[in-house]
Amino acid sequence: MLDPIIKVENLTKNYGDFEAVKGLSFEVYPGEIFGLLGPHGAGKSTTLEIIETLREKTSGQVTVNGIDIEKDPAAVKKIIGVQLQTAGFYPGLNLIELLDLFAGLYNEEIDPMAILDSVNLRDKAKAKFKELSGGQKQRFSIATSLVNQPKVIFLDEPTTGLDPQARRSLWELIRSIQQRGTTIVLTTNYMDEAEYLCDRIAIMEKGK
Ligand code: ADP
């Protein structure tokens, strides 16, 4: 049995006196697609953002690849990829320029065309971000999460708002990333998405 790549134990998060996450425990194993499934407001994004070291927990313990997120958040950031909301990209830069920007932030040498190939966007290399369709924007945002060759990527509702064809194409992309050996943690409120994509899921409701 492999050691878990993510270990969450008794995680809690309070916003003021509101308990958004109430003592959550789960493990994610290397190479799997793990889903947090649940309705809006369940605490999925909060949980994800804590593991990503973007939000502080109230209590509990979280390790990623054996690293305690509280003790060494910088080391965690180096080995994870986070899909940002697509609103975060400079609309007037083209895809190669945006990937170069991300690579620069990570201090990584990359081959932008190879990354665009991997998300099926080679023919859009010179297009500006704002010129992409909704599905292409989502695919590109996943591409940016791959620039540092992460061990784990986190996708927060990756297909929300997409038409059925674009959703399908994103599902295939997520599977192909898994096949290259990357562990994937995603949130979704679609049962069919969880069923199609995930090896294991945790069902979340009201912080539990
Ligand atoms: P989900 O991703 O499952 O939709 P969230 O983690 O976004 O759930 O939110 C869980 C609960 O915490 C919701 O009730 C939400 O309103 C609340 N919440 C999220 N972020 C904040 C915040 N920054 N301040 C106060 N309450 C928040």
Short mmCIF file of all heavy atoms in Angstrom, two decimals, residues 13-16 18-21 36-49 55 156-157 187-189 204 206-207, ligand 1:
data_model
loop_
_atom_site.label_atom_id
_atom_site.label_comp_id
_atom_site.label_asym_id
_atom_site.label_seq_id
_atom_site.Cartn_x
_atom_site.Cartn_y
_atom_site.Cartn_z
N LYS A 13 -12.36 24.78 10.17
CA LYS A 13 -12.19 26.17 9.76
C LYS A 13 -13.41 26.97 10.20
O LYS A 13 -14.55 26.64 9.83
CB LYS A 13 -12.04 26.27 8.24
CG LYS A 13 -12.02 27.68 7.70
CD LYS A 13 -10.78 28.45 8.14
CE LYS A 13 -10.78 29.87 7.64
NZ LYS A 13 -9.58 30.62 8.09
N ASN A 14 -13.18 27.98 11.00
CA ASN A 14 -14.26 28.88 11.41
C ASN A 14 -14.09 30.22 10.73
O ASN A 14 -12.97 30.74 10.63
CB ASN A 14 -14.23 29.12 12.93
CG ASN A 14 -14.40 27.84 13.72
OD1 ASN A 14 -14.83 26.82 13.18
ND2 ASN A 14 -14.07 27.88 15.00
N TYR A 15 -15.20 30.77 10.25
CA TYR A 15 -15.23 32.17 9.81
C TYR A 15 -16.02 32.91 10.88
O TYR A 15 -17.24 32.79 10.92
CB TYR A 15 -15.93 32.31 8.46
CG TYR A 15 -15.22 31.64 7.30
CD1 TYR A 15 -15.76 30.51 6.67
CD2 TYR A 15 -14.01 32.14 6.81
CE1 TYR A 15 -15.11 29.91 5.60
CE2 TYR A 15 -13.37 31.54 5.74
CZ TYR A 15 -13.92 30.43 5.14
OH TYR A 15 -13.28 29.83 4.07
N GLY A 16 -15.36 33.63 11.78
CA GLY A 16 -16.07 34.21 12.92
C GLY A 16 -16.64 33.08 13.76
O GLY A 16 -15.92 32.13 14.09
N PHE A 18 -18.98 31.10 12.60
CA PHE A 18 -19.54 30.12 11.68
C PHE A 18 -18.52 29.01 11.41
O PHE A 18 -17.38 29.28 11.01
CB PHE A 18 -19.94 30.80 10.37
CG PHE A 18 -20.45 29.85 9.33
CD1 PHE A 18 -21.69 29.23 9.48
CD2 PHE A 18 -19.68 29.55 8.22
CE1 PHE A 18 -22.14 28.33 8.53
CE2 PHE A 18 -20.13 28.66 7.25
CZ PHE A 18 -21.36 28.05 7.42
N GLU A 19 -18.93 27.76 11.66
CA GLU A 19 -18.02 26.62 11.43
C GLU A 19 -18.21 26.10 10.00
O GLU A 19 -19.16 25.37 9.74
CB GLU A 19 -18.33 25.49 12.42
CG GLU A 19 -18.11 25.85 13.88
CD GLU A 19 -18.58 24.70 14.78
OE1 GLU A 19 -19.81 24.46 14.86
OE2 GLU A 19 -17.73 24.05 15.38
N ALA A 20 -17.30 26.48 9.12
CA ALA A 20 -17.43 26.08 7.71
C ALA A 20 -16.92 24.65 7.50
O ALA A 20 -17.44 23.93 6.64
CB ALA A 20 -16.67 27.05 6.81
N VAL A 21 -15.90 24.23 8.23
CA VAL A 21 -15.36 22.87 8.15
C VAL A 21 -15.27 22.32 9.56
O VAL A 21 -14.69 22.95 10.44
CB VAL A 21 -13.98 22.84 7.45
CG1 VAL A 21 -13.43 21.42 7.39
CG2 VAL A 21 -14.07 23.43 6.03
N LEU A 36 -14.01 15.92 -4.04
CA LEU A 36 -14.84 16.40 -2.94
C LEU A 36 -16.17 16.78 -3.58
O LEU A 36 -16.24 17.73 -4.36
CB LEU A 36 -14.22 17.64 -2.28
CG LEU A 36 -13.02 17.43 -1.37
CD1 LEU A 36 -12.45 18.77 -0.93
CD2 LEU A 36 -13.40 16.59 -0.16
N LEU A 37 -17.19 15.99 -3.25
CA LEU A 37 -18.49 16.16 -3.88
C LEU A 37 -19.47 16.72 -2.86
O LEU A 37 -19.52 16.23 -1.73
CB LEU A 37 -18.98 14.79 -4.38
CG LEU A 37 -20.40 14.68 -4.92
CD1 LEU A 37 -20.56 15.42 -6.23
CD2 LEU A 37 -20.78 13.20 -5.11
N GLY A 38 -20.23 17.72 -3.24
CA GLY A 38 -21.22 18.24 -2.31
C GLY A 38 -21.87 19.50 -2.83
O GLY A 38 -21.39 20.10 -3.79
N PRO A 39 -22.96 19.92 -2.18
CA PRO A 39 -23.68 21.11 -2.64
C PRO A 39 -22.90 22.40 -2.36
O PRO A 39 -21.92 22.39 -1.61
CB PRO A 39 -24.98 21.07 -1.82
CG PRO A 39 -24.63 20.31 -0.59
CD PRO A 39 -23.58 19.31 -1.00
N HIS A 40 -23.35 23.49 -2.93
CA HIS A 40 -22.75 24.80 -2.66
C HIS A 40 -22.79 25.09 -1.17
O HIS A 40 -23.78 24.79 -0.51
CB HIS A 40 -23.49 25.90 -3.41
CG HIS A 40 -23.10 25.95 -4.87
ND1 HIS A 40 -21.80 26.14 -5.29
CD2 HIS A 40 -23.84 25.81 -5.99
CE1 HIS A 40 -21.77 26.12 -6.60
NE2 HIS A 40 -22.99 25.91 -7.06
N GLY A 41 -21.70 25.63 -0.66
CA GLY A 41 -21.66 26.02 0.75
C GLY A 41 -21.24 24.90 1.68
O GLY A 41 -21.18 25.07 2.89
N ALA A 42 -20.91 23.71 1.12
CA ALA A 42 -20.55 22.56 1.95
C ALA A 42 -19.19 22.73 2.63
O ALA A 42 -18.90 22.08 3.63
CB ALA A 42 -20.55 21.29 1.10
N GLY A 43 -18.33 23.58 2.05
CA GLY A 43 -16.99 23.77 2.61
C GLY A 43 -15.90 23.18 1.73
O GLY A 43 -14.75 23.07 2.15
N LYS A 44 -16.24 22.83 0.49
CA LYS A 44 -15.28 22.20 -0.41
C LYS A 44 -14.13 23.14 -0.77
O LYS A 44 -12.96 22.79 -0.64
CB LYS A 44 -15.97 21.71 -1.70
CG LYS A 44 -17.14 20.77 -1.46
CD LYS A 44 -17.78 20.30 -2.77
CE LYS A 44 -18.32 21.40 -3.66
NZ LYS A 44 -19.47 22.14 -3.07
N SER A 45 -14.47 24.36 -1.21
CA SER A 45 -13.42 25.30 -1.62
C SER A 45 -12.54 25.68 -0.44
O SER A 45 -11.31 25.79 -0.58
CB SER A 45 -14.01 26.57 -2.21
OG SER A 45 -14.79 26.26 -3.32
N THR A 46 -13.17 25.88 0.70
CA THR A 46 -12.41 26.22 1.91
C THR A 46 -11.37 25.13 2.19
O THR A 46 -10.19 25.41 2.42
CB THR A 46 -13.37 26.36 3.11
OG1 THR A 46 -14.28 27.43 2.83
CG2 THR A 46 -12.62 26.65 4.39
N THR A 47 -11.81 23.87 2.12
CA THR A 47 -10.90 22.74 2.37
C THR A 47 -9.76 22.73 1.36
O THR A 47 -8.58 22.62 1.73
CB THR A 47 -11.69 21.41 2.28
OG1 THR A 47 -12.75 21.46 3.23
CG2 THR A 47 -10.81 20.21 2.54
N LEU A 48 -10.11 22.91 0.09
CA LEU A 48 -9.10 22.91 -0.97
C LEU A 48 -8.08 24.04 -0.74
O LEU A 48 -6.87 23.83 -0.81
CB LEU A 48 -9.79 23.12 -2.32
CG LEU A 48 -9.25 22.34 -3.49
CD1 LEU A 48 -9.36 20.85 -3.24
CD2 LEU A 48 -10.02 22.70 -4.76
N GLU A 49 -8.59 25.23 -0.44
CA GLU A 49 -7.68 26.38 -0.29
C GLU A 49 -6.77 26.24 0.93
O GLU A 49 -5.65 26.74 0.92
CB GLU A 49 -8.51 27.67 -0.22
CG GLU A 49 -9.05 28.05 -1.60
CD GLU A 49 -10.17 29.08 -1.58
OE1 GLU A 49 -10.43 29.68 -0.51
OE2 GLU A 49 -10.79 29.28 -2.64
N ARG A 55 -5.18 29.54 2.47
CA ARG A 55 -6.10 29.96 3.52
C ARG A 55 -5.66 29.28 4.81
O ARG A 55 -5.20 28.14 4.79
CB ARG A 55 -7.51 29.49 3.14
CG ARG A 55 -8.62 30.24 3.78
CD ARG A 55 -9.94 29.70 3.25
NE ARG A 55 -10.39 30.35 2.02
CZ ARG A 55 -10.98 31.54 1.99
NH1 ARG A 55 -11.20 32.21 3.09
NH2 ARG A 55 -11.38 32.06 0.85
N ASP A 156 -10.87 23.38 -8.79
CA ASP A 156 -12.08 23.76 -8.05
C ASP A 156 -13.22 23.95 -9.04
O ASP A 156 -13.23 24.92 -9.80
CB ASP A 156 -11.81 25.04 -7.25
CG ASP A 156 -12.82 25.21 -6.12
OD1 ASP A 156 -13.78 24.42 -6.02
OD2 ASP A 156 -12.65 26.17 -5.34
N GLU A 157 -14.15 23.03 -9.06
CA GLU A 157 -15.29 23.04 -9.99
C GLU A 157 -14.84 23.31 -11.42
O GLU A 157 -15.24 24.30 -12.04
CB GLU A 157 -16.32 24.08 -9.55
CG GLU A 157 -16.92 23.75 -8.20
CD GLU A 157 -18.11 24.63 -7.83
OE1 GLU A 157 -18.59 25.39 -8.69
OE2 GLU A 157 -18.56 24.53 -6.68
N THR A 187 -13.03 19.50 -6.84
CA THR A 187 -14.35 19.66 -6.21
C THR A 187 -15.39 19.70 -7.32
O THR A 187 -15.12 20.14 -8.43
CB THR A 187 -14.48 20.97 -5.41
OG1 THR A 187 -14.50 22.06 -6.32
CG2 THR A 187 -13.33 21.14 -4.42
N THR A 188 -16.55 19.21 -6.99
CA THR A 188 -17.64 19.26 -7.97
C THR A 188 -18.97 19.15 -7.24
O THR A 188 -19.05 18.61 -6.14
CB THR A 188 -17.50 18.14 -9.03
OG1 THR A 188 -18.53 18.29 -10.00
CG2 THR A 188 -17.60 16.75 -8.42
N ASN A 189 -20.02 19.70 -7.84
CA ASN A 189 -21.35 19.38 -7.32
C ASN A 189 -22.15 18.57 -8.34
O ASN A 189 -23.35 18.41 -8.20
CB ASN A 189 -22.10 20.61 -6.82
CG ASN A 189 -21.92 21.81 -7.70
OD1 ASN A 189 -22.10 21.69 -8.91
ND2 ASN A 189 -21.57 22.93 -7.13
N MET A 204 -19.30 15.80 0.97
CA MET A 204 -19.28 16.84 2.00
C MET A 204 -20.61 17.54 2.07
O MET A 204 -21.20 17.87 1.05
CB MET A 204 -18.24 17.90 1.63
CG MET A 204 -16.95 17.78 2.40
SD MET A 204 -15.92 19.23 2.18
CE MET A 204 -16.12 20.01 3.78
N LYS A 206 -22.42 20.59 4.77
CA LYS A 206 -22.38 21.42 5.98
C LYS A 206 -21.09 21.21 6.78
O LYS A 206 -21.13 21.04 8.00
CB LYS A 206 -23.60 21.14 6.85
CG LYS A 206 -24.90 21.55 6.14
CD LYS A 206 -26.09 21.39 7.05
CE LYS A 206 -27.38 21.74 6.32
NZ LYS A 206 -28.52 20.95 6.79
N GLY A 207 -19.97 21.17 6.08
CA GLY A 207 -18.67 21.13 6.76
C GLY A 207 -18.24 19.77 7.25
O GLY A 207 -17.18 19.64 7.87
P1 ADP B 1 -18.28 25.18 -1.31
O1 ADP B 1 -16.96 25.28 -2.02
O2 ADP B 1 -18.62 23.77 -0.91
O3 ADP B 1 -19.39 25.82 -2.07
P2 ADP B 1 -17.16 27.11 0.54
O4 ADP B 1 -15.95 26.51 1.14
O5 ADP B 1 -16.99 28.11 -0.53
O6 ADP B 1 -18.15 25.95 0.09
O7 ADP B 1 -18.03 27.80 1.69
C1 ADP B 1 -18.41 27.09 2.88
C2 ADP B 1 -19.18 28.04 3.79
O8 ADP B 1 -18.30 29.03 4.33
C3 ADP B 1 -20.29 28.80 3.09
O9 ADP B 1 -21.39 28.91 3.98
C4 ADP B 1 -19.68 30.16 2.81
O10 ADP B 1 -20.66 31.16 2.79
C5 ADP B 1 -18.74 30.33 4.00
N1 ADP B 1 -17.55 31.15 3.64
C6 ADP B 1 -16.66 30.88 2.65
N2 ADP B 1 -15.69 31.81 2.63
C7 ADP B 1 -15.96 32.69 3.62
C8 ADP B 1 -15.32 33.88 4.11
N3 ADP B 1 -14.20 34.32 3.55
N4 ADP B 1 -15.90 34.50 5.16
C9 ADP B 1 -17.04 34.03 5.73
N5 ADP B 1 -17.69 32.93 5.32
C10 ADP B 1 -17.17 32.26 4.29
#
